[in-house]
Amino acid sequence: MSLIPKSHPRAKSLLIREKLVDGFDNGLVAKEGLLAQGRGEAFDYLLGEKTSKAAMQAIRAAASQLLLAEMPVISVNGNIAALCPKQIVRLSKQVKAKLEVNLFYSNEKRKQAIIKTLKKNGAKEILGSKNTSSKKLPGIDSARRIVDKDGIFVADVVVVPLEDGDRTMALRRAGKTVITFDLNPLSRTSETANITIVDNVTRAIDLLIIESKKLSKKNQKTLQKIISDFDNKKNLRDNVIQIKNNLTRRAKIA
Ligand code: ATP
Ligand code: MG
């Protein structure tokens, strides 16, 4: 149970942290996942802990890309299962994407715990659990390259929230269109993905669900235009400028 008072100035951030710690205690999150959260938190602080205009543009492009996809797949890791299991299942239903458990630090017990959590939150089919379905992505070492032959392997669009740079690069080399959530606009994943949503996944996922619902009423041409108007490199630059402006403001106050 949470002992964090709502009035605490960092309540939201602490509650997210608590979800991760609970996820770790329940066997969902890897130790490394806790460290990744810490890195994310630092960037969230610098970004002002709110969804920027740039992030909103990336969310619109991501929603359009998912709606136009023929075979979209959402990759789920321990942090996502701990932070927003309900929303990730909801998103998969909204855009008709498959869910695949795909872990950077592969571990059968953890995988099963994640699958159980997703099922508890309404998921029907979850890929990535059968050894007979595993296939190797080229250009990446060891266990990290295993994907499901009916999922990521054949997907055209893959959502990889909180992903490592090597894996993102391997997915791009395999010809996938990659969408990611990453609070660090400087990470290799951010730079490699086609669409990077620089925002906390706990905030942005709800917005992506809402936007997907809204845009599902638009025609293909409109969605295509949203995607072609989106420039990921420029979007990342805008996020860096946001950080710079926030710091400049703080430097003046201090
Ligand atoms: P890369 O491998 O892409 O260069 P990295 O090695 O710095 O990045 P990883 O641990 O591989 O980082 O990936 C995790 C990424 O997820 C980090 O960039 C971190 O900022 C981001 N992250 C962590 N928690 C969240 C969150 N709640 N929402 C969005 N992004 C997050
Ligand atoms: Mg990394």
Side-chain angles (χ1 to χ4, degrees):
M1 268 310 282
S2 169
L3 294 172
I4 303 160
K6 277 207 181 93
S7 58
H8 191 291
R10 311 219 42 77
K12 267 195 195 151
S13 168
L14 293 176
L15 283 169
I16 297 172
R17 192 180 282 186
E18 206 166 69
K19 281 190 188 174
L20 254 291
V21 172
D22 286 347
F24 177 76
D25 289 340
N26 297 328
L28 290 175
V29 174
K31 274 188 233 132
E32 293 80 357
L34 298 176
L35 296 170
Q37 170 71 16
R39 178 133 48 187
E41 278 176 9
F43 280 98
D44 207 4
Y45 208 112
L46 296 174
L47 284 158
E49 293 177 312
K50 53 177 192 264
T51 305
S52 65
K53 230 163 89 187
M56 208 51 230
Q57 279 167 1
I59 288 168
R60 265 173 78 75
S64 305
Q65 191 66 262
L66 282 167
L67 290 166
L68 284 182
E70 267 171 38
M71 163 74 186
V73 174
I74 303 170
S75 174
V76 182
N77 62 20
N79 285 39
I80 292 300
L83 288 174
C84 49
K86 217 177 244 131
Q87 291 97 320
I88 212 83
V89 174
R90 207 173 291 154
L91 177 67
S92 79
K93 289 181 180 167
Q94 181 65 45
V95 299
K96 297 185 183 64
K98 292 186 180 180
L99 290 169
E100 176 168 338
V101 179
N102 209 287
L103 306 181
F104 187 89
Y105 298 99
S106 186
N107 170 324
E108 199 46 43
K109 219 166 131 202
R110 214 150 61 73
K111 202 185 255 184
Q112 291 310 322
I114 294 169
I115 290 171
K116 210 167 127 195
T117 300
L118 291 175
K119 286 205 167 142
K120 224 168 53 197
N121 283 282
K124 298 252 151 49
E125 195 196 5
I126 300 149
L127 298 166
S129 58
K130 279 191 266 145
N131 284 340
T132 47
S133 299
S134 58
K135 223 38 187 170
K136 287 174 187 157
L137 275 183
I140 183 167
D141 63 332
S142 67
R144 285 154 53 192
R145 65 165 145 168
I146 307 292
V147 293
D148 195 299
K149 72 172 172 47
D150 301 315
I152 292 177
F153 194 76
V154 285
D156 54 347
V157 177
V158 190
V159 184
V160 283
L162 286 49
E163 187 55 272
D164 171 61
D166 287 351
R167 278 262 283 260
T168 309
M169 284 176 198
L171 288 168
R172 284 301 311 273
R173 273 201 297 270
K176 315 293 177 194
T177 297
V178 178
I179 299 169
T180 192
F181 295 84
D182 195 328
L183 276 162
N184 177 2
L186 308 171
S187 78
R188 289 173 310 148
T189 291
S190 286
E191 287 183 339
T192 313
N194 299 77
I195 301 172
T196 306
I197 301 168
V198 181
D199 195 10
N200 199 311
V201 69
T202 57
R203 283 190 299 268
I205 187 116
D206 286 322
L207 298 170
L208 182 55
I209 295 167
I210 294 168
E211 212 53 38
S212 302
K213 197 165 177 186
K214 261 197 226 157
L215 291 175
S216 65
K217 297 179 188 91
K218 304 278 182 199
N219 61 28
Q220 288 211 357
K221 217 173 128 198
T222 308
L223 300 179
Q224 198 58 60
K225 169 107 173 59
I226 294 173
I227 297 167
S228 51
D229 285 349
F230 180 77
D231 179 342
N232 206 47
K233 293 269 178 293
K234 176 176 183 308
N235 199 274
L236 292 175
R237 279 201 301 275
D238 288 346
N239 279 293
V240 174
I241 290 167
Q242 178 74 49
I243 292 175
K244 189 186 103 185
N245 291 344
N246 289 348
L247 288 173
T248 305
R249 207 168 31 246
R250 290 300 290 255
K252 279 184 188 147
I253 295 165

Coordinates of all heavy atoms in Angstrom, one line a residue, residues 39 104 163-166 188-189, ligand 2:
R39 N 16.8 6.4 -15.3 CA 17.3 7.2 -16.4 C 16.1 8.0 -17.0 O 16.2 9.2 -17.3 CB 17.9 6.3 -17.4 CG 18.4 7.1 -18.6 CD 19.8 6.7 -19.1 NE 20.0 5.3 -19.2 CZ 21.2 4.8 -19.4 NH1 22.3 5.6 -19.6 NH2 21.4 3.5 -19.5
F104 N 14.4 -8.0 -23.0 CA 15.8 -7.8 -23.2 C 16.6 -8.8 -22.4 O 17.5 -9.4 -22.9 CB 16.1 -6.3 -22.8 CG 17.5 -5.9 -23.1 CD1 17.8 -5.3 -24.3 CD2 18.5 -6.1 -22.2 CE1 19.1 -4.9 -24.7 CE2 19.8 -5.7 -22.5 CZ 20.1 -5.1 -23.8
E163 N 12.8 0.7 -25.1 CA 13.6 -0.3 -25.8 C 15.1 0.0 -25.8 O 15.4 1.2 -25.8 CB 13.0 -0.6 -27.2 CG 13.6 -1.7 -28.0 CD 13.6 -3.0 -27.2 OE1 14.5 -3.3 -26.4 OE2 12.6 -3.8 -27.4
D164 N 15.9 -1.0 -26.0 CA 17.3 -0.8 -26.1 C 17.7 -0.4 -27.6 O 17.0 -0.9 -28.5 CB 18.0 -2.0 -25.7 CG 19.5 -2.0 -26.0 OD1 20.2 -1.1 -25.4 OD2 20.0 -2.8 -26.8
G165 N 18.7 0.3 -27.7 CA 19.2 0.8 -29.0 C 19.5 -0.3 -30.0 O 19.1 -0.2 -31.2
D166 N 20.2 -1.3 -29.5 CA 20.6 -2.4 -30.4 C 19.4 -3.1 -31.1 O 19.4 -3.4 -32.2 CB 21.4 -3.5 -29.7 CG 22.8 -3.1 -29.3 OD1 23.2 -2.0 -29.8 OD2 23.4 -3.8 -28.5
R188 N 19.9 6.0 -28.4 CA 20.0 5.4 -29.8 C 18.6 5.0 -30.2 O 18.3 5.1 -31.4 CB 21.0 4.3 -29.7 CG 22.4 4.7 -29.6 CD 23.3 3.5 -29.4 NE 22.8 2.7 -28.3 CZ 22.9 1.3 -28.3 NH1 23.6 0.7 -29.3 NH2 22.4 0.6 -27.4
T189 N 17.8 4.5 -29.3 CA 16.4 4.1 -29.7 C 15.7 5.3 -30.3 O 15.1 5.2 -31.4 CB 15.7 3.5 -28.5 OG1 16.3 2.3 -28.2 CG2 14.2 3.3 -28.8
Ligands
MG2 MG 20.6 0.5 -24.1

